[in-house]
Amino acid sequence: MSARRLVSLVLAAASCAACSPIQSALDPQSPQAESLHELFWLFVVVCSVVWLAVMASLTLALLRNRSTASEATAAGSRTPALAVGAAVVATVLIVAGLTIASFLATRSLATDGGGLVIKLRGYQWWWEATYPAEGVVTANEIHLPVGRPVRMELSAADVIHSFWVPQLQGKLDLIPGRDNAVTITVTKEGVYRGQCAEFCGLQHAHMGLIVVAEPPAAFDAWARAQAAVAAAPTEPEAQAGAALFQAKACSSCHAIRGTAASAKVGPDLTHVASRRSIAADVLPATRGAFAAWIVDPQTIKPGANMPAIALEPAELRALSAYMTALK
Amino acid sequence: MEEQRLDRSGRVLAAALAGLALSACEREERVMRRDPPVVAALDEAALLPGGVGGAEPLAHVALGKPYETNAYEIAQGKRLYAAMNCAGCHGDGSGGVGPSLIDGWWAYGADLPSLYATIRDGRPRGMPPYRQKLPPDSIWQLAGYVQTLASYSAKTAAPGRDDAPQTRPAENRAPATQAPLEPPAR
């Protein structure tokens, strides 16, 4: 690598450190992520010190002159004590590190209730979020009130997934047939991104989750709006789309509360246009993206369980207008 | 000189062996996206009058009969069997409100075109049509899966196993060896 390239790399890294990341464990925004962050730096410091000590002794050993035979015997007699000492130090370091790690892990996994419960269920390749008390069912985007502990109850429908929002907590698996739970308290407003962190199949990399932390009042307003049934579309094009949604294959997998569509195979689309993204944070929730996704999901996310449905251009326009109207 | 030649022939042999080994590496192909005209052509099964028996769509033959021989397509059919609530009537395959799919008696034909027509158009006495509910390729996946449940001759392809304990013979493991002469009493 040339010196200039090295310099530009370092500069790029420095500028990245300055920007506010949307998905970074080095920017903790909850006590749970904070303790992992502390642990990370503790490990970095301890491992750096150990590494430096090893490198220093290696350098010393390399630089020292080949000694005479008598010196070698003398050094040999000292070796057992040194080795035993090093082993004891290493053991103490490792045990101490593991103790701290397990203490912090237990704390971050503590599942004492905080009133708000979110059931997060992993599917290939999207997330279903249910707020039982609020009556909200949504997908791929969850909202949390700032400062209130939220108990996330994790389950999976098909294979093992893993819930990981680096700024908010460590990874925890979603396992079919086993319910895991983790409590998060977000301390700062913002939009965070999560990601499935356990390889779960073809589109594992495209299984994103948006987490919106907002003040309690805004959260309550959001929850009320999400709990409502879908508003009937007013524009003629969107009305045609609503009829098509019921007549075509859409309604055999998706639910829109307030209509006859109530299938639970794919994401609930009751308020799909109120979300920031569709297809598990692959596309923005715009009309063009809706149309692109409906007409050819297998090019955007090959292997996804959404089939392409044969549609006339006018039908596609009507359906995308309807999706955009589902605020 | 002699040694060098040996060396070279050894290398050629190694390369040939590696090539052979790699050629066996290719996994079974998974086709995620079929072109819309191909999907439309898959709907053109030439059924006999009465909707039982007939010729497969030429497109299926031209594709190499993936819905009969490709494990991925059959596994997708298994997913659809659960997603479309086939179990609501047919249970785990051994029947319920609807007829059993594993007793070897196929009231409307055990061949793929018949199964496709059964799912697409429905059948008398309760089988609903899925024409509007699934695109043709999904119906083919489902037909291919249903056929593995009790085909008379085992296919080489099978779907993934169940996570839950099996309540019936695994797909493609215990084919009905002989068609019953009488319909099972129901």
Side-chain angles (χ1 to χ4, degrees), chain B residues 105-185:
Chain B
W105 181 266
W106 296 96
Y108 298 102
D111 54 313
L112 270 183
S114 301
L115 286 169
Y116 179 77
T118 299
I119 299 169
R120 184 188 64 180
D121 305 331
R123 295 291 186 187
R125 301 199 4 238
M127 175 72 193
Y130 282 80
R131 194 186 297 106
Q132 297 296 324
K133 295 181 182 153
L134 289 173
D137 43 348
S138 296
I139 299 182
W140 274 108
Q141 288 171 340
L142 206 38
Y145 171 68
V146 169
Q147 200 188 39
T148 65
L149 284 171
S151 55
Y152 296 124
S153 54
K155 296 180 185 180
T156 51
R161 62 167 177 79
D162 289 351
D163 282 335
Q166 294 272 9
T167 52
R168 52 158 167 72
E171 298 92 349
N172 211 28
R173 296 297 190 279
T177 48
Q178 197 184 345
L181 297 175
E182 299 278 326

Side-chain angles (χ1 to χ4, degrees), chain A:
Chain A
M1 192 186 296
S2 72
R4 193 187 294 171
R5 247 175 99 189
L6 190 66
V7 166
S8 63
L9 253 182
V10 169
L11 280 178
S15 64
C16 263
C19 66
S20 99
I22 191 174
Q23 188 178 329
S24 166
L26 299 179
D27 176 37
Q29 301 296 347
S30 77
Q32 292 81 10
E34 189 69 56
S35 48
L36 284 176
H37 188 235
E38 285 162 10
L39 197 63
F40 170 77
W41 283 114
L42 182 73
F43 269 62
V44 167
V45 169
V46 169
C47 292
S48 305
V49 169
V50 170
W51 184 76
L52 285 174
V54 169
M55 285 301 125
S57 31
L58 180 65
T59 317
L60 268 180
L62 287 172
L63 291 182
R64 216 170 61 159
N65 283 337
R66 284 274 162 87
S67 50
T68 60
S70 62
E71 268 177 337
T73 5
S77 66
R78 275 208 318 273
T79 311
L82 253 179
V84 168
V88 167
V89 169
T91 310
V92 167
L93 268 179
I94 289 169
V95 169
L98 285 177
T99 310
I100 294 168
S102 96
F103 171 70
L104 291 180
T106 313
R107 212 174 60 181
S108 80
L109 288 179
T111 54
D112 44 317
L116 182 62
V117 172
I118 303 177
K119 288 178 185 293
L120 191 68
R121 195 163 169 80
Y123 290 80
Q124 284 177 319
W125 290 277
W126 59 282
W127 311 85
E128 180 187 62
T130 312
Y131 296 62
E134 286 75 12
V136 171
V137 182
T138 182
N140 301 328
E141 179 174 316
I142 56 176
H143 287 231
L144 310 174
V146 167
R148 190 168 154 201
V150 179
R151 185 180 150 90
M152 306 283 310
E153 298 185 349
L154 310 177
S155 65
D158 34 41
V159 298
I160 300 177
H161 304 276
S162 186
F163 172 60
W164 188 38
V165 187
Q167 276 145 304
L168 302 186
Q169 43 73 267
K171 298 168 187 172
L172 191 62
D173 281 2
L174 294 78
I175 301 172
R178 184 198 152 86
D179 295 337
N180 278 338
V182 64
T183 303
I184 307 175
T185 315
V186 190
T187 48
K188 195 178 142 195
E189 277 174 49
V191 179
Y192 308 110
R193 191 177 185 281
Q195 167 78 45
C196 179
E198 175 71 42
F199 180 72
C200 60
L202 290 164
Q203 290 299 327
H204 162 64
H206 288 154
M207 188 168 163
L209 176 71
I210 298 289
V211 178
V212 181
E214 51 197 7
F219 170 76
D220 290 341
W222 174 85
R224 267 196 306 279
Q226 294 285 316
V229 298
T234 47
E235 282 179 40
E237 196 171 34
Q239 283 168 344
L244 277 167
F245 189 92
Q246 303 298 335
K248 294 275 178 182
C250 318
S251 56
S252 42
C253 290
H254 293 285
I256 295 182
R257 280 172 283 136
T259 73
S262 59
K264 299 241 172 269
V265 179
D268 184 296
L269 300 179
T270 309
H271 300 287
V272 66
S274 74
R275 300 178 202 149
R276 283 164 172 73
S277 62
I278 60 170
D281 201 30
V282 169
L283 296 173
T286 62
R287 186 172 173 185
F290 278 124
W293 176 246
I294 292 167
V295 78
D296 198 358
Q298 295 301 325
T299 294
I300 294 162
K301 225 171 148 173
N305 289 325
M306 165 122 168
I309 310 291
L311 293 168
E312 298 297 322
E315 293 176 329
L316 183 61
R317 276 198 296 276
L319 269 175
S320 59
Y322 179 46
M323 289 295 109
T324 323
L326 290 172
K327 289 284 181 197

Side-chain angles (χ1 to χ4, degrees), chain B residues 8 25 85 96 109 160 169:
Chain B
R8 194 183 305 156
C25 263
N85 195 25

